[in-house]
Each structure stands twice: as C-alpha cells, then as structure tokens.
C-alpha cells in the first residue's frame, strides 16, 4: 500500500513518494497533496519530496488531466480538482460507519422531534453526509449529498469559525455570498464578526438565512483533530424552532456530537481502539476547503 514516510529522524526532511508501481506513487502524491492547506507549486513539491522535477511534472499532468487537480492563478499553482473533492465527499457519505452514525441521528430525532443531520464543508458549500427527517408533516426534506451555501448555514458557520482570521477571510472572499432571504448576511466583515461569536459560544444558528421560515442549530463533532470538519445539527420550521428554543436543545446536540465523535475516532484507529486522528476531520485549511 502506498504511503508517505519521512526519511530520517530530523526535520525538515523530504517526504518520499512510496509505491511499488507508478499508480501507487501517484496515490502517494495525492496523500501528500491532501495535507496541503494552500495552493502548491511543482517546485515546492520537488523540494519537499526530493523527486526529480520531470517525474513530478509528469505526475501532476496526469492528475490534472484526470480532473483530480486544477491549476490556479498564474498557472504555476495547483489545487484540488472537483473530481477529487467529490470522491472525498462520497467516501464520507458511504463509509462503513454509516450505520452507527445513522443510529445516533435516529436517537437524536426521537429525542428532539425534529430533522437532524451530519454535515461537512467542501469548498464554499455544506454537504449533507447523513440526515433523518422528522415525522412531523410540515418539514423541509433534504437528502444525503444535498448542498447548501457555507455562509448562511449553521454548520458552515460553525466549521468556518475554527479557522484563523486570515483563513476565514480567504474562504469568505472566495465564496459566492449570494443573498437568499432578507436575513442572509453578505458583508464579509459582518460574517467574520459573527464567526468570532460562534467560535466563542460553541454553537451556530441559521435564523431563516437560507430559507424563509427555516431555523437550524449546529455544533461541532469532536474528531481529535485541531479543526473538525463535521457538524451535527437540528433543523425545523420557525413556528416550532426559534433561536431561543434552539439554545435549550444544545445539551442533546452536544451528547449526539460526542457519540458521533467516538464513532469517528474509532474508525481511524488501525486496531479499532479509538485512538489516533480521523480523516473526516481536517487540519486547518485542508484540501476539502479548496474552491
């Protein structure tokens, strides 16, 4: 199996691209690229890996030609392509722990009586990884794989709030800040101010900012990483859920988030012990953020 390993004990040292075949070395390169929190260059990869420049150039051309990478800015910088991001999203939606995650959501819906979902951020959108609808006849139905804008969703604001001010500004400035309702915030400075409050409070609310009459409350799922890219949220019509009522649901949301976090942590340990990191969480500005 391809892997990225460090040569020697002292830092900084090259990250060798390991693999018995060209295909596995390409996979090794993708693993390295997935750790990047910003655009990267051919020369940067040459210096980081110690791989000959013509070889790396050919590998990047293959990845770009297949839609896994794209060239940005002046053509010298690379970022993750739509095909690679979609692959990552599908892995999260269809992973083998879906059943356990679904059970936690089912219990949360039974407790709260409203629709609940698990979400992640990809580029400038929030992606629904899993969702269970309320039995109430009045509801908004969304399927796993559905997407909503990051700037006017509770989960999007919750996840973005963890980033540094510079990273928040970069992501907000790159996102299409479209107005969906009278309450949608489109001023980057005002959005950043709200994200600071979200970070302080530990929860986020979408108060009819994406759809009129729809309120959502979200909290982070702890994944063992510095920045989590998973949220659990409750969503309901404004006649049943107001921001004030949403605050009373926070203990149940945090309990569900903790249970989901245990599932995610357990999925990352080779021995199933629950120790170690988790690929569903992102280091600050990881590849899934790239627009």
């Amino acid at each position: 199996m391809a892997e990225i390993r460090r040569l020697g004990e002292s830092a900084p040292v090259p990250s060798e691209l390991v693999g018995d075949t060209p295909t596995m070395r390409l996979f090794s390169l993708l693993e390295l690229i997935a750790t990047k929190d910003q655009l990267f260059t051919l020369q940067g990869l040459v210096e980081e890996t110690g791989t000959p420049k013509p070889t790396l150039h050919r590998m990047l051309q293959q990845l770009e030609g297949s839609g896994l990478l794209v060239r940005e800015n002046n053509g010298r910088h690379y970022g993750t392509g739509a095909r690679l991001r979609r692959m990552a999203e599908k892995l999260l939606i269809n992973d083998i722990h879906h059943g356990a995650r679904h059970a936690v959501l089912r219990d949360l819906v039974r407790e709260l009586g409203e629709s609940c979902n698990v979400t992640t951020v990809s580029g400038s959108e929030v992606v629904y990884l899993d969702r269970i609808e309320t039995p109430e006849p009045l509801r908004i139905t969304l399927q796993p794989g559905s997407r909503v804008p990051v700037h006017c969703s509770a989960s999007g604001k919750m996840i973005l709030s963890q980033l540094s001010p510079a990273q928040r500004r970069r992501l907000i400035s790159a996102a299409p800040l479209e107005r969906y309702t009278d309450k949608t915030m489109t001023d980057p400075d005002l959005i950043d101010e709200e994200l600071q409050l979200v970070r302080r409070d530990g929860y986020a609310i979408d108060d009819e900012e994406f759809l009129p009459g729809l309120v959502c409350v979200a909290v982070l799922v702890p994944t063992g990483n510095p920045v989590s890219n998973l949220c659990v949220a409750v969503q309901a019509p404004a006649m049943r859920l107001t921001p004030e009522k949403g605050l009373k649901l926070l203990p149940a949301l945090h309990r569900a988030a903790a249970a989901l976090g245990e599932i995610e942590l357990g999925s990352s340990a080779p021995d199933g012990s629950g120790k170690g990191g988790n690929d569903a969480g992102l280091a600050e500005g990881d590849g899934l953020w790239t627009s």
Side-chain angles (χ1 to χ4, degrees), residues 123-141:
S124 60
E125 297 176 310
V126 169
V127 181
Y128 285 69
L129 300 179
D130 199 2
R131 181 176 171 90
I132 295 182
E133 302 290 349
T134 176
E136 295 286 340
L138 179 60
R139 60 179 182 264
I140 300 294
T141 301

Side-chain angles (χ1 to χ4, degrees), residues 104 108 111-112 219 232 247-258:
V104 173
L108 184 61
E111 181 177 359
L112 302 184
V219 300
V232 61
L247 298 182
K248 298 179 181 179
L249 306 183
L250 287 175
L253 284 171
H254 282 300
R255 287 194 299 272

Side-chain angles (χ1 to χ4, degrees), residues 140 142 152 180-181 184 206-215:
I140 300 294
L142 292 166
C152 56
Y180 293 88
T181 75
T184 304
D206 162 14
D207 183 14
E208 302 184 70
E209 297 163 49
F210 176 54
L211 290 175
L214 187 67
V215 175

Side-chain angles (χ1 to χ4, degrees), residues 108-181:
L108 184 61
V109 171
R110 286 173 180 165
E111 181 177 359
L112 302 184
E114 300 293 353
S115 300
C116 296
N117 45 256
V118 175
T119 55
T120 188
V121 164
S122 177
S124 60
E125 297 176 310
V126 169
V127 181
Y128 285 69
L129 300 179
D130 199 2
R131 181 176 171 90
I132 295 182
E133 302 290 349
T134 176
E136 295 286 340
L138 179 60
R139 60 179 182 264
I140 300 294
T141 301
L142 292 166
Q143 301 298 323
S146 298
R147 298 165 179 274
V148 298
V150 70
H151 69 288
C152 56
S153 66
S155 294
K157 291 188 286 186
M158 188 72 254
I159 292 173
L160 293 186
S161 72
Q162 304 167 88
L163 304 183
S164 68
Q167 287 174 317
R168 290 199 305 265
R169 286 192 296 270
R170 176 165 61 88
L171 288 165
I172 292 170
S173 64
L177 303 179
E178 185 176 342
R179 183 177 298 279
Y180 293 88
T181 75

Side-chain angles (χ1 to χ4, degrees), residues 42-285:
L42 169 60
Q43 184 59 39
L45 290 177
V46 169
E47 296 172 0
E48 187 171 359
T49 66
T51 304
K53 191 171 186 177
T55 301
L56 264 180
H57 184 257
R58 184 172 62 253
M59 295 171 75
L60 290 175
Q61 281 185 318
Q62 289 178 289
L63 294 173
E64 183 185 4
S66 62
L68 297 172
L69 297 180
V70 293
R71 271 197 259 197
E72 307 274 0
N73 297 341
N74 56 10
R76 296 178 60 248
H77 291 80
Y78 292 84
T80 55
R83 185 179 179 188
L84 184 58
R85 293 198 301 275
R86 295 292 184 268
M87 184 189 304
E89 294 162 9
K90 289 176 182 177
L91 283 172
L92 289 174
I93 292 172
N94 299 317
D95 67 36
I96 60 174
H97 301 279
H98 175 82
R101 186 174 63 200
H102 202 70
V104 173
L105 274 189
R106 185 170 60 246
D107 290 343
L108 184 61
V109 171
R110 286 173 180 165
E111 181 177 359
L112 302 184
E114 300 293 353
S115 300
C116 296
N117 45 256
V118 175
T119 55
T120 188
V121 164
S122 177
S124 60
E125 297 176 310
V126 169
V127 181
Y128 285 69
L129 300 179
D130 199 2
R131 181 176 171 90
I132 295 182
E133 302 290 349
T134 176
E136 295 286 340
L138 179 60
R139 60 179 182 264
I140 300 294
T141 301
L142 292 166
Q143 301 298 323
S146 298
R147 298 165 179 274
V148 298
V150 70
H151 69 288
C152 56
S153 66
S155 294
K157 291 188 286 186
M158 188 72 254
I159 292 173
L160 293 186
S161 72
Q162 304 167 88
L163 304 183
S164 68
Q167 287 174 317
R168 290 199 305 265
R169 286 192 296 270
R170 176 165 61 88
L171 288 165
I172 292 170
S173 64
L177 303 179
E178 185 176 342
R179 183 177 298 279
Y180 293 88
T181 75
D182 291 340
K183 293 187 176 183
T184 304
M185 201 175 297
T186 58
D187 184 314
D189 292 333
L190 293 179
I191 293 174
D192 190 65
E193 288 179 11
E194 183 174 9
L195 293 180
Q196 294 179 49
L197 296 177
V198 168
R199 181 169 184 151
R200 181 199 69 188
D201 297 337
Y203 65 87
I205 295 178
D206 162 14
D207 183 14
E208 302 184 70
E209 297 163 49
F210 176 54
L211 290 175
L214 187 67
V215 175
C216 183
V217 183
V219 300
L220 286 172
V221 173
T223 60
N225 287 283
V227 174
S228 170
N229 195 25
L230 286 177
C231 273
V232 61
V234 59
Q235 192 177 71
M239 65 179 64
R240 296 201 304 265
L241 179 63
T242 63
E244 292 73 25
K245 290 180 179 178
L247 298 182
K248 298 179 181 179
L249 306 183
L250 287 175
L253 284 171
H254 282 300
R255 287 194 299 272
L260 290 165
E262 288 297 319
I263 294 170
E264 299 301 324
L265 286 169
S267 72
S268 68
D271 60 356
S273 65
K275 300 176 182 179
N278 169 31
D279 291 339
L282 298 179
E284 282 198 16

